[in-house]
Coordinates of all heavy atoms in Angstrom, one line a residue:
M1 N 0.8 -3.9 12.7 CA 1.0 -2.8 11.8 C 0.3 -3.2 10.4 O 0.6 -4.3 10.0 CB 2.4 -2.4 11.6 CG 2.6 -1.1 10.8 SD 4.4 -0.6 10.8 CE 4.5 0.0 12.5
S2 N -0.5 -2.4 9.8 CA -1.1 -2.8 8.6 C -0.2 -2.4 7.4 O 0.9 -1.9 7.5 CB -2.4 -2.1 8.5 OG -2.3 -0.7 8.3
D3 N -0.7 -2.8 6.2 CA 0.0 -2.5 5.0 C 0.3 -1.0 4.8 O -0.4 -0.2 5.1 CB -0.8 -3.0 3.8 CG -0.8 -4.5 3.7 OD1 0.0 -5.1 4.4 OD2 -1.6 -5.0 3.0
V4 N 1.5 -0.7 4.3 CA 1.8 0.6 3.9 C 1.0 1.0 2.7 O 0.9 0.1 1.8 CB 3.4 0.7 3.6 CG1 3.7 2.1 3.2 CG2 4.1 0.4 4.8
F5 N 0.5 2.1 2.7 CA -0.4 2.6 1.6 C 0.1 2.6 0.2 O -0.5 2.2 -0.8 CB -1.0 3.9 1.9 CG -2.4 3.9 2.5 CD1 -2.7 4.9 3.4 CD2 -3.2 3.0 2.1 CE1 -4.0 4.9 4.0 CE2 -4.5 3.0 2.7 CZ -4.9 3.9 3.6
Y6 N 1.3 3.0 0.1 CA 1.9 3.2 -1.2 C 3.2 2.5 -1.5 O 3.9 2.3 -0.5 CB 2.0 4.7 -1.6 CG 2.7 5.4 -0.4 CD1 4.1 5.5 -0.4 CD2 1.9 6.1 0.6 CE1 4.7 6.1 0.7 CE2 2.6 6.7 1.6 CZ 3.9 6.7 1.6 OH 4.5 7.4 2.7
K7 N 3.4 2.2 -2.7 CA 4.7 1.5 -3.0 C 5.7 2.5 -3.2 O 5.5 3.6 -3.9 CB 4.5 0.6 -4.3 CG 5.7 -0.1 -4.7 CD 5.4 -1.2 -5.7 CE 6.6 -2.0 -6.0 NZ 6.3 -3.3 -6.6
V8 N 6.9 2.3 -2.7 CA 7.9 3.3 -2.8 C 9.2 2.8 -3.5 O 9.4 1.6 -3.6 CB 8.4 3.8 -1.4 CG1 7.2 4.5 -0.7 CG2 8.8 2.6 -0.5
K9 N 9.8 3.7 -4.2 CA 11.1 3.4 -4.8 C 12.1 4.2 -4.1 O 12.1 5.4 -4.0 CB 11.1 3.8 -6.3 CG 10.2 3.0 -7.2 CD 10.8 1.6 -7.5 CE 9.9 0.8 -8.3 NZ 10.1 -0.7 -8.1
G10 N 13.1 3.6 -3.4 CA 14.0 4.3 -2.6 C 13.3 4.6 -1.3 O 12.2 4.2 -1.1
L11 N 13.9 5.4 -0.5 CA 13.4 5.7 0.8 C 12.6 7.1 0.8 O 13.2 8.1 0.4 CB 14.4 5.7 1.9 CG 15.1 4.4 2.2 CD1 16.1 4.5 3.3 CD2 14.1 3.3 2.6
P12 N 11.4 7.1 1.2 CA 10.6 8.3 1.3 C 11.1 9.0 2.6 O 11.7 8.5 3.4 CB 9.2 7.9 1.3 CG 9.3 6.5 2.0 CD 10.6 5.9 1.5
S13 N 10.7 10.3 2.7 CA 11.0 11.0 3.9 C 10.0 10.8 5.0 O 10.2 11.0 6.2 CB 11.1 12.5 3.6 OG 9.8 13.0 3.1
E14 N 8.8 10.3 4.6 CA 7.8 9.9 5.6 C 7.0 8.7 5.0 O 6.8 8.6 3.9 CB 6.8 11.1 5.8 CG 5.8 10.8 6.8 CD 4.9 12.1 7.1 OE1 5.1 13.1 6.4 OE2 4.1 12.0 8.0
V15 N 6.6 7.8 6.0 CA 5.8 6.7 5.6 C 4.7 6.6 6.6 O 4.8 6.9 7.8 CB 6.7 5.4 5.7 CG1 5.8 4.2 5.7 CG2 7.7 5.3 4.6
G16 N 3.5 6.3 6.0 CA 2.3 6.2 6.8 C 1.4 5.1 6.3 O 1.6 4.6 5.2
G17 N 0.4 4.9 7.1 CA -0.6 3.8 6.7 C -1.8 3.9 7.6 O -1.9 4.9 8.4
Q18 N -2.6 2.9 7.5 CA -3.8 3.0 8.3 C -3.8 1.7 9.2 O -3.5 0.6 8.8 CB -5.1 2.9 7.5 CG -6.4 3.2 8.2 CD -7.6 3.4 7.3 OE1 -7.5 3.1 6.1 NE2 -8.6 4.0 7.9
N19 N -4.1 1.9 10.5 CA -4.2 0.8 11.5 C -5.5 0.1 11.3 O -6.4 0.6 10.7 CB -4.1 1.4 12.9 CG -2.8 2.0 13.2 OD1 -1.7 1.5 12.9 ND2 -2.8 3.2 13.7
P20 N -5.5 -1.2 11.8 CA -6.8 -2.0 11.7 C -8.0 -1.2 12.3 O -9.1 -1.5 12.0 CB -6.4 -3.2 12.5 CG -4.9 -3.3 12.4 CD -4.4 -1.9 12.4
D21 N -7.8 -0.4 13.4 CA -8.9 0.3 14.0 C -9.3 1.6 13.3 O -10.1 2.3 13.7 CB -8.5 0.6 15.5 CG -7.4 1.6 15.6 OD1 -6.8 2.1 14.6 OD2 -7.0 1.9 16.7
G22 N -8.6 1.9 12.1 CA -9.0 3.0 11.3 C -8.3 4.2 11.5 O -8.4 5.2 10.8
T23 N -7.5 4.3 12.5 CA -6.6 5.5 12.8 C -5.4 5.3 11.8 O -5.1 4.3 11.3 CB -6.1 5.5 14.2 OG1 -5.4 4.3 14.5 CG2 -7.3 5.6 15.2
F24 N -4.8 6.5 11.7 CA -3.6 6.5 10.8 C -2.3 6.7 11.6 O -2.3 7.3 12.7 CB -3.7 7.7 9.8 CG -4.8 7.5 8.8 CD1 -6.1 7.9 9.1 CD2 -4.5 6.9 7.6 CE1 -7.1 7.7 8.1 CE2 -5.5 6.7 6.7 CZ -6.8 7.1 6.9
W25 N -1.3 6.1 11.0 CA 0.1 6.3 11.7 C 1.0 6.8 10.6 O 0.9 6.6 9.4 CB 0.6 4.9 12.2 CG 0.7 3.9 11.2 CD1 -0.3 3.0 10.8 CD2 1.8 3.6 10.3 NE1 0.2 2.2 9.8 CE2 1.5 2.6 9.5 CE3 3.1 4.2 10.2 CZ2 2.4 2.1 8.5 CZ3 4.0 3.7 9.3 CH2 3.6 2.6 8.4
S26 N 2.1 7.5 11.1 CA 3.2 7.9 10.2 C 4.5 8.1 10.9 O 4.4 8.2 12.2 CB 2.8 9.2 9.4 OG 2.8 10.2 10.3
T27 N 5.6 8.0 10.2 CA 6.8 8.2 10.9 C 7.8 8.9 9.9 O 7.7 8.8 8.7 CB 7.5 6.9 11.3 OG1 8.7 7.1 12.0 CG2 7.7 5.9 10.2
T28 N 8.7 9.7 10.5 CA 9.7 10.3 9.7 C 11.1 9.9 10.2 O 12.1 10.5 9.8 CB 9.7 11.9 9.8 OG1 9.7 12.2 11.2 CG2 8.3 12.4 9.2
D29 N 11.1 8.9 11.0 CA 12.4 8.4 11.6 C 13.1 7.5 10.4 O 12.5 6.5 10.1 CB 12.1 7.5 12.8 CG 13.4 6.9 13.4 OD1 14.4 6.9 12.7 OD2 13.3 6.3 14.5
P30 N 14.3 7.9 9.9 CA 14.9 7.2 8.8 C 15.1 5.7 9.1 O 14.9 4.9 8.2 CB 16.2 7.9 8.7 CG 16.0 9.3 9.3 CD 15.1 9.1 10.4
D31 N 15.5 5.3 10.3 CA 15.7 3.9 10.6 C 14.4 3.2 10.6 O 14.3 2.0 10.1 CB 16.3 3.8 12.0 CG 17.7 4.3 12.1 OD1 18.3 4.4 11.0 OD2 18.2 4.6 13.2
E32 N 13.3 3.8 11.1 CA 12.0 3.2 11.1 C 11.5 3.0 9.7 O 11.0 2.0 9.3 CB 11.1 4.1 12.0 CG 9.7 3.5 12.0 CD 9.4 2.4 13.0 OE1 10.4 2.0 13.6 OE2 8.3 2.0 13.2
I33 N 11.7 4.1 8.9 CA 11.3 4.1 7.5 C 12.0 2.9 6.7 O 11.4 2.2 5.9 CB 11.6 5.4 6.8 CG1 10.5 6.4 7.3 CG2 11.4 5.3 5.3 CD1 10.8 7.8 6.9
A34 N 13.3 2.8 6.9 CA 14.1 1.8 6.2 C 13.6 0.4 6.6 O 13.5 -0.5 5.7 CB 15.6 1.9 6.7
R35 N 13.2 0.2 7.9 CA 12.7 -1.1 8.3 C 11.4 -1.4 7.7 O 11.1 -2.5 7.2 CB 12.6 -1.1 9.8 CG 12.3 -2.5 10.5 CD 12.1 -2.4 12.0 NE 10.9 -1.5 12.3 CZ 9.6 -1.8 12.2 NH1 9.4 -3.1 11.7 NH2 8.7 -1.0 12.5
I36 N 10.5 -0.4 7.7 CA 9.2 -0.6 7.1 C 9.2 -0.9 5.6 O 8.5 -1.7 5.1 CB 8.3 0.7 7.4 CG1 8.0 0.9 8.9 CG2 7.0 0.7 6.6 CD1 7.4 2.2 9.3
V37 N 10.1 -0.1 4.9 CA 10.2 -0.3 3.5 C 10.7 -1.6 3.2 O 10.3 -2.4 2.3 CB 11.1 0.8 2.9 CG1 11.4 0.5 1.4 CG2 10.3 2.2 2.9
A38 N 11.8 -2.1 3.9 CA 12.4 -3.4 3.7 C 11.3 -4.5 3.9 O 11.2 -5.5 3.2 CB 13.5 -3.6 4.6
E39 N 10.5 -4.3 5.0 CA 9.5 -5.2 5.3 C 8.4 -5.3 4.3 O 8.0 -6.4 3.8 CB 8.8 -4.8 6.7 CG 8.8 -5.8 7.8 CD 8.3 -5.2 9.1 OE1 7.2 -4.6 9.0 OE2 8.9 -5.4 10.1
D40 N 8.1 -4.1 3.7 CA 7.0 -4.0 2.7 C 7.5 -4.7 1.4 O 6.7 -5.4 0.8 CB 6.7 -2.5 2.5 CG 5.4 -2.4 1.8 OD1 4.4 -3.0 2.2 OD2 5.4 -1.6 0.8
E41 N 8.8 -4.5 1.1 CA 9.3 -5.0 -0.1 C 9.4 -6.6 -0.1 O 9.1 -7.3 -1.0 CB 10.7 -4.4 -0.4 CG 10.5 -3.0 -1.0 CD 11.9 -2.3 -1.2 OE1 12.9 -2.9 -0.8 OE2 11.9 -1.3 -1.8
A42 N 9.8 -7.1 1.1 CA 9.8 -8.5 1.3 C 8.4 -9.1 1.2 O 8.3 -10.2 0.6 CB 10.5 -8.9 2.7
K43 N 7.5 -8.4 1.7 CA 6.1 -8.9 1.7 C 5.6 -8.9 0.2 O 4.9 -9.8 -0.2 CB 5.2 -8.0 2.5 CG 4.0 -8.6 3.1 CD 3.0 -7.6 3.7 CE 3.6 -6.8 4.9 NZ 2.7 -5.8 5.4
A44 N 5.9 -7.9 -0.5 CA 5.5 -7.7 -1.9 C 6.2 -8.8 -2.7 O 5.5 -9.4 -3.6 CB 5.9 -6.3 -2.5
E45 N 7.4 -9.1 -2.5 CA 8.1 -10.2 -3.2 C 7.4 -11.5 -2.9 O 7.3 -12.4 -3.8 CB 9.6 -10.3 -2.8 CG 10.4 -9.3 -3.7 CD 11.9 -9.3 -3.2 OE1 12.4 -10.3 -2.7 OE2 12.5 -8.2 -3.3
A46 N 7.1 -11.8 -1.7 CA 6.4 -13.1 -1.3 C 5.1 -13.1 -2.0 O 4.7 -14.2 -2.5 CB 6.2 -13.1 0.2
E47 N 4.3 -12.0 -2.1 CA 3.0 -12.0 -2.8 C 3.2 -12.4 -4.3 O 2.4 -13.1 -4.9 CB 2.4 -10.7 -2.6 CG 1.7 -10.5 -1.3 CD 0.5 -11.4 -1.2 OE1 -0.6 -11.1 -1.8 OE2 0.6 -12.4 -0.5
V48 N 4.3 -11.7 -4.9 CA 4.5 -12.0 -6.3 C 4.8 -13.5 -6.6 O 4.2 -14.1 -7.5 CB 5.7 -11.1 -6.9 CG1 6.1 -11.6 -8.2 CG2 5.3 -9.7 -6.9
A49 N 5.6 -14.1 -5.7 CA 5.9 -15.5 -5.7 C 4.6 -16.4 -5.6 O 4.4 -17.4 -6.3 CB 6.9 -15.9 -4.7
R50 N 3.8 -15.9 -4.7 CA 2.6 -16.7 -4.4 C 1.5 -16.6 -5.6 O 0.9 -17.6 -5.9 CB 1.9 -16.1 -3.1 CG 0.7 -17.0 -2.6 CD 0.2 -16.5 -1.2 NE -0.4 -15.1 -1.3 CZ -1.6 -14.9 -1.7 NH1 -2.4 -15.9 -2.1 NH2 -2.1 -13.7 -1.7
K51 N 1.4 -15.4 -6.1 CA 0.3 -15.2 -7.1 C 0.8 -15.5 -8.6 O 0.0 -15.7 -9.4 CB -0.1 -13.7 -7.1 CG -0.9 -13.4 -5.8 CD -1.3 -11.9 -5.9 CE -2.1 -11.5 -4.7 NZ -2.2 -10.1 -4.5
G52 N 2.2 -15.4 -8.7 CA 2.7 -15.6 -10.1 C 2.7 -14.4 -10.9 O 3.0 -14.5 -12.1
H53 N 2.3 -13.3 -10.4 CA 2.4 -12.0 -11.1 C 2.5 -10.9 -10.1 O 2.2 -11.0 -9.0 CB 1.1 -11.8 -11.9 CG -0.1 -11.5 -11.1 ND1 -1.0 -12.6 -10.7 CD2 -0.7 -10.4 -10.6 CE1 -2.0 -12.0 -10.0 NE2 -1.8 -10.8 -9.9
D54 N 3.0 -9.8 -10.6 CA 3.1 -8.6 -9.8 C 1.9 -7.7 -10.1 O 1.8 -7.2 -11.2 CB 4.4 -7.8 -10.2 CG 4.7 -6.6 -9.2 OD1 3.7 -6.2 -8.5 OD2 5.8 -6.1 -9.2
C55 N 1.1 -7.5 -9.1 CA -0.2 -6.7 -9.2 C 0.2 -5.3 -9.7 O -0.6 -4.7 -10.4 CB -0.9 -6.7 -7.9 SG -1.6 -8.2 -7.4
W56 N 1.3 -4.8 -9.3 CA 1.7 -3.4 -9.6 C 2.0 -3.3 -11.1 O 2.2 -2.2 -11.6 CB 2.8 -2.9 -8.7 CG 2.3 -2.6 -7.4 CD1 2.3 -3.5 -6.3 CD2 1.7 -1.4 -6.9 NE1 1.8 -2.9 -5.2 CE2 1.4 -1.6 -5.5 CE3 1.4 -0.2 -7.5 CZ2 0.8 -0.6 -4.8 CZ3 0.8 0.8 -6.8 CH2 0.5 0.5 -5.4
D57 N 2.2 -4.4 -11.8 CA 2.5 -4.3 -13.2 C 1.2 -4.3 -14.0 O 1.2 -4.0 -15.2 CB 3.2 -5.6 -13.7 CG 4.7 -5.6 -13.3 OD1 5.2 -4.5 -12.9 OD2 5.3 -6.7 -13.2
N58 N 0.0 -4.4 -13.3 CA -1.3 -4.5 -14.1 C -2.3 -3.6 -13.4 O -3.4 -4.1 -13.1 CB -1.7 -5.9 -14.1 CG -0.7 -6.9 -14.6 OD1 -0.5 -7.0 -15.8 ND2 0.0 -7.6 -13.8
P59 N -2.0 -2.4 -13.1 CA -2.9 -1.6 -12.4 C -4.1 -1.1 -13.3 O -3.9 -0.8 -14.4 CB -2.1 -0.4 -11.9 CG -1.0 -0.2 -12.9 CD -0.7 -1.6 -13.4
V60 N -5.3 -1.2 -12.7 CA -6.5 -0.7 -13.4 C -7.2 0.3 -12.5 O -7.4 0.1 -11.3 CB -7.5 -1.9 -13.6 CG1 -8.8 -1.4 -14.3 CG2 -6.9 -3.0 -14.5
H61 N -7.5 1.5 -13.1 CA -8.2 2.5 -12.3 C -9.6 2.1 -11.9 O -10.3 1.5 -12.7 CB -8.2 3.8 -13.2 CG -8.8 4.9 -12.4 ND1 -10.0 5.5 -12.8 CD2 -8.3 5.7 -11.3 CE1 -10.3 6.5 -11.9 NE2 -9.3 6.6 -11.0
S62 N -9.9 2.4 -10.7 CA -11.3 2.2 -10.3 C -11.7 3.2 -9.2 O -11.0 4.1 -9.0 CB -11.3 0.7 -9.6 OG -10.5 0.7 -8.4
L63 N -12.8 3.0 -8.6 CA -13.3 3.9 -7.6 C -13.5 3.1 -6.3 O -14.0 2.0 -6.3 CB -14.6 4.6 -8.0 CG -14.5 5.6 -9.1 CD1 -15.9 6.1 -9.6 CD2 -13.7 6.8 -8.7
F64 N -13.1 3.8 -5.2 CA -13.2 3.1 -3.9 C -14.2 3.9 -3.0 O -14.1 5.2 -2.9 CB -11.8 3.2 -3.3 CG -11.7 2.6 -1.9 CD1 -11.7 1.2 -1.7 CD2 -11.8 3.4 -0.8 CE1 -11.6 0.6 -0.4 CE2 -11.7 2.8 0.5 CZ -11.6 1.4 0.7
R65 N -15.1 3.2 -2.4 CA -16.1 3.9 -1.6 C -15.5 3.9 -0.2 O -15.3 2.9 0.4 CB -17.5 3.2 -1.6 CG -18.5 3.9 -0.8 CD -19.8 3.1 -0.8 NE -20.4 2.9 -2.1 CZ -21.1 3.8 -2.8 NH1 -21.4 5.0 -2.2 NH2 -21.6 3.5 -4.0
S66 N -15.2 5.0 0.3 CA -14.5 5.1 1.6 C -15.5 4.9 2.7 O -16.7 5.1 2.6 CB -13.8 6.5 1.8 OG -14.8 7.4 2.2
S67 N -15.0 4.5 3.9 CA -15.9 4.2 5.0 C -16.6 5.5 5.5 O -17.6 5.4 6.2 CB -15.1 3.6 6.2 OG -14.0 4.4 6.5
R68 N -16.0 6.7 5.2 CA -16.7 7.9 5.6 C -17.7 8.4 4.6 O -18.3 9.5 4.7 CB -15.6 9.0 5.8 CG -14.7 8.7 6.9 CD -13.8 9.9 7.2 NE -12.5 9.5 7.7 CZ -11.4 9.2 7.1 NH1 -11.5 9.2 5.8 NH2 -10.3 8.8 7.7
G69 N -17.8 7.6 3.5 CA -18.8 8.0 2.4 C -18.0 8.7 1.4 O -16.9 9.3 1.6
G70 N -18.6 8.8 0.1 CA -17.9 9.4 -1.0 C -17.0 8.4 -1.7 O -16.6 7.4 -1.2
M71 N -16.7 8.8 -2.9 CA -15.9 7.9 -3.8 C -14.5 8.5 -3.9 O -14.3 9.7 -4.0 CB -16.5 7.7 -5.1 CG -17.9 7.2 -5.1 SD -18.0 5.6 -4.4 CE -17.6 4.5 -5.8
Q72 N -13.5 7.6 -3.9 CA -12.1 8.1 -4.1 C -11.5 7.2 -5.3 O -11.9 6.2 -5.6 CB -11.2 7.7 -2.9 CG -11.5 8.7 -1.7 CD -10.6 8.3 -0.6 OE1 -10.9 7.3 0.1 NE2 -9.5 9.0 -0.4
D73 N -10.6 7.9 -6.0 CA -9.8 7.1 -7.1 C -9.0 6.0 -6.4 O -8.6 6.2 -5.3 CB -8.9 8.1 -7.7 CG -9.5 9.1 -8.7 OD1 -10.5 8.6 -9.3 OD2 -9.1 10.2 -8.7
A74 N -9.0 4.9 -7.1 CA -8.3 3.8 -6.6 C -7.7 3.0 -7.7 O -8.0 3.2 -8.9 CB -9.2 2.9 -5.7
Y75 N -6.8 2.1 -7.4 CA -6.2 1.2 -8.4 C -6.3 -0.3 -7.9 O -5.9 -0.6 -6.8 CB -4.8 1.6 -8.7 CG -4.7 2.9 -9.4 CD1 -4.6 4.1 -8.6 CD2 -4.8 3.0 -10.8 CE1 -4.6 5.3 -9.2 CE2 -4.8 4.3 -11.4 CZ -4.7 5.4 -10.6 OH -4.7 6.6 -11.3
N76 N -6.8 -1.1 -8.8 CA -6.8 -2.5 -8.6 C -5.9 -3.3 -9.6 O -5.6 -2.7 -10.6 CB -8.3 -3.0 -8.7 CG -9.2 -2.5 -7.7 OD1 -9.6 -1.3 -7.7 ND2 -9.6 -3.4 -6.8
C77 N -5.6 -4.4 -9.1 CA -4.8 -5.3 -10.1 C -5.8 -5.8 -11.1 O -6.9 -6.2 -10.9 CB -4.2 -6.5 -9.3 SG -3.5 -7.7 -10.4
G78 N -5.3 -5.7 -12.4 CA -6.1 -6.1 -13.6 C -6.2 -7.6 -13.7 O -7.0 -8.1 -14.5
I79 N -5.5 -8.4 -13.0 CA -5.4 -9.8 -13.0 C -6.3 -10.4 -11.9 O -7.2 -11.2 -12.2 CB -4.0 -10.4 -13.0 CG1 -3.3 -9.9 -14.3 CG2 -4.0 -11.9 -12.9 CD1 -1.8 -10.2 -14.3
C80 N -5.9 -10.1 -10.7 CA -6.6 -10.7 -9.5 C -7.6 -9.8 -8.8 O -8.3 -10.2 -7.9 CB -5.6 -11.3 -8.5 SG -4.7 -10.1 -7.6
G81 N -7.6 -8.5 -9.2 CA -8.6 -7.6 -8.7 C -8.2 -7.0 -7.3 O -9.0 -6.2 -6.8
E82 N -7.1 -7.3 -6.8 CA -6.7 -6.8 -5.5 C -6.6 -5.3 -5.4 O -6.0 -4.7 -6.4 CB -5.3 -7.4 -5.1 CG -4.9 -7.0 -3.6 CD -3.7 -7.8 -3.1 OE1 -3.8 -9.1 -3.2 OE2 -2.8 -7.3 -2.7
L83 N -7.1 -4.7 -4.3 CA -7.0 -3.2 -4.2 C -5.5 -2.9 -3.9 O -4.9 -3.4 -2.9 CB -7.9 -2.8 -3.1 CG -7.8 -1.3 -2.8 CD1 -8.4 -0.5 -3.9 CD2 -8.7 -1.0 -1.5
L84 N -5.0 -2.0 -4.8 CA -3.5 -1.7 -4.6 C -3.3 -0.4 -3.9 O -2.4 -0.2 -3.0 CB -2.9 -1.6 -6.0 CG -2.9 -2.9 -6.8 CD1 -2.3 -2.7 -8.2 CD2 -2.1 -4.0 -6.1
Q85 N -4.1 0.6 -4.3 CA -3.9 1.9 -3.8 C -5.2 2.8 -3.8 O -5.9 2.6 -4.8 CB -2.8 2.7 -4.6 CG -2.5 4.1 -4.2 CD -1.4 4.7 -4.9 OE1 -0.3 4.1 -5.0 NE2 -1.6 5.8 -5.6
V86 N -5.4 3.6 -2.9 CA -6.5 4.5 -2.8 C -6.0 5.9 -2.8 O -5.1 6.2 -2.0 CB -7.4 4.2 -1.6 CG1 -8.5 5.2 -1.6 CG2 -8.0 2.8 -1.6
G87 N -6.6 6.8 -3.6 CA -6.2 8.2 -3.7 C -5.1 8.4 -4.7 O -4.6 7.6 -5.3
Ligands
ZN1 ZN1 -2.8 -9.3 -8.9

């Protein structure tokens, strides 16, 4: 399972993301969502510890060229440049 697209506060009613093969997945199962969110938060904490900063504290607006063509709004970390969110 790939990264969840967006950072959440509390539990959303639906969580989705993109698979490595480019297809999208989503779920509305509360147990599944709780597990995914907990996993995502643990991963985010590990990243903060590794990098020494929280990328989400330093978002910079940018444009992302999608694989289907066209530009989309995106956000990158202003410190390390990591792509945080598209759309
Ligand atoms: Zn960063």
Side-chain angles (χ1 to χ4, degrees):
M1 191 174 285
S2 67
D3 288 346
V4 176
F5 258 144
Y6 46 86
K7 183 163 182 160
V8 292
K9 291 284 180 208
L11 294 182
S13 57
E14 184 176 3
V15 166
Q18 192 169 18
N19 296 311
D21 66 2
T23 59
F24 290 89
W25 59 269
S26 68
T27 180
T28 54
D29 178 348
D31 292 339
E32 180 79 357
I33 288 171
R35 189 184 62 74
I36 290 167
V37 169
E39 239 173 45
D40 195 50
E41 284 176 353
K43 209 190 298 173
E45 272 173 35
E47 279 292 282
V48 171
R50 187 175 67 81
K51 291 177 179 170
H53 68 270
D54 184 348
C55 293
W56 287 94
D57 286 342
N58 308 280
V60 175
H61 182 249
S62 64
L63 289 172
F64 178 80
R65 187 183 297 278
S66 82
S67 55
R68 293 187 208 89
M71 302 299 276
Q72 284 181 284
D73 286 321
Y75 292 90
N76 290 73
C77 174
I79 295 173
C80 70
E82 184 170 310
L83 179 65
L84 300 174
Q85 178 174 304
V86 177

